[in-house]
Amino acid sequence: MDLARRGILIILSSPSGAGKSTLSKRVLEDDDQVVFSVSATTRSPRPGEENGREYFFKSREEFEDLVNSGGMLEHAEVFGNFYGTPLAPVEDAIASGQDVLFDVDWQGGQQIRNSPLSEAVVSVFVLPPSIAELEARLQKRGQDSAEVVAGRMAQSSNEISHWAEYDYVLVNDDVDRAEEDLRAIVQAERLKRARVTGLTGFVSGLKAEYEAMQ
Ligand code: ADP
Ligand code: 5GP
């Protein structure tokens, strides 16, 4: 029997290249209870990225207008570009009982954890198995110039320094294993007593059954 539950907000952070996008795509592919929070960014699209799917690609002015009108749940400057989470889709998802998955840096993680939505937050930090492997993955992705890869490597130590602010930490060595662990986290967090609604009524029904048996 399934009881109703409140939605959760799953924050995934990691140094660039550790595998957040890979893990989030895998979870989203066959879990229709989770929707991806499509961020707005001022960075240029990578080959294959689509406006509205990976990101909403914005000019600096458009981005600032969104921030100034209160339309962002959080926003931050990362690697010289602006990134932010539009608030309305998150509110809509919560209202319809969906979970939301966020791919944001540590600054975004902190702001969402400190927002009025904090009760729903489950945060997961993804570590690479080694720094050499992180660099190899950034290069293998083959979508950024050598200069961009070097910039991301230079920032990785700072991002990693925030690991202990997260509820869970996964080392993404074997991707299948990391995916399985992430799904286990999501499932357990959904089942937390405080997130399951209607339990009091359900237990009252059990009590009524005892009484009827006497
Ligand atoms: P992020 O979103 O954290 O920047 P990506 O998910 O884009 O990272 O992963 C960076 C690169 O590493 C991609 O080419 C991806 O296919 C690869 N990758 C992800 N996880 C693993 C893994 N466990 N083992 C080997 N390669 C991986
Ligand atoms: P990329 O350019 O590789 O897609 O993302 C660069 C970094 O920006 C990653 O660490 C990613 O998690 C972060 N990022 C993406 N969207 C957001 C967002 O909406 N807010 C914040 N704070 N960071 C974001």
Side-chain angles (χ1 to χ4, degrees):
M1 188 200 138
D2 281 337
L3 290 160
R5 64 177 182 86
R6 295 185 181 87
I8 57 174
L9 305 180
I10 308 147
I11 299 177
L12 267 190
S13 300
S14 80
S16 183
K20 303 179 289 302
S21 312
T22 305
L23 290 170
S24 67
K25 272 189 198 125
R26 283 175 169 231
V27 166
L28 289 157
E29 248 159 41
D30 40 36
D31 190 335
D32 59 10
Q33 295 176 65
V34 190
V35 293
F36 182 61
S37 166
V38 180
S39 297
T41 183
T42 60
R43 88 149 159 74
S44 312
R46 292 191 183 118
E49 285 185 335
E50 248 176 54
N51 190 33
R53 190 179 62 190
E54 282 82 8
Y55 285 103
F56 294 108
F57 296 98
K58 304 277 181 200
S59 68
R60 183 82 180 256
E61 294 69 35
E62 289 169 330
F63 191 93
E64 279 169 4
D65 284 349
L66 261 171
V67 172
N68 294 334
S69 63
M72 293 289 205
L73 171 59
E74 61 77 35
H75 64 96
E77 187 174 349
V78 190
F79 311 130
N81 287 300
F82 290 94
Y83 293 82
T85 303
L87 177 59
V90 178
E91 289 178 332
D92 291 349
I94 292 174
S96 65
Q98 298 273 99
D99 302 316
V100 187
L101 193 150
F102 301 85
D103 175 337
V104 295
D105 82 326
W106 65 271
Q107 304 172 84
Q110 280 190 354
Q111 291 174 56
I112 301 171
R113 259 196 303 274
N114 293 327
S115 78
L117 304 175
S118 61
E119 290 277 293
V121 169
V122 178
S123 59
V124 182
F125 197 88
V126 181
L127 286 171
S130 68
I131 302 306
E133 173 65 13
L134 181 69
E135 186 162 26
R137 286 185 192 171
L138 279 172
Q139 280 163 355
K140 184 179 77 174
R141 188 162 67 189
Q143 290 178 339
D144 298 305
S145 66
E147 193 191 340
V148 168
V149 168
R152 288 175 177 231
M153 279 303 290
Q155 278 298 313
S156 63
S157 160
N158 181 39
E159 183 75 28
I160 288 176
S161 73
H162 293 276
W163 68 276
E165 296 165 20
Y166 287 71
D167 299 322
Y168 298 90
V169 177
L170 295 179
V171 179
N172 179 20
D173 189 352
D174 178 275
V175 71
D176 293 330
R177 173 67 197 276
E179 178 191 352
E180 195 183 305
D181 288 347
L182 181 56
R183 284 182 194 284
I185 291 167
V186 168
Q187 186 55 12
E189 290 285 343
R190 283 173 175 160
L191 292 170
K192 274 194 170 163
R193 176 170 52 78
R195 297 203 171 107
V196 181
T197 56
L199 273 176
T200 308
F202 180 72
V203 175
S204 300
L206 295 180
K207 278 191 195 147
E209 243 184 289
Y210 279 122
E211 281 155 21
M213 286 159 108
Q214 281 163 10

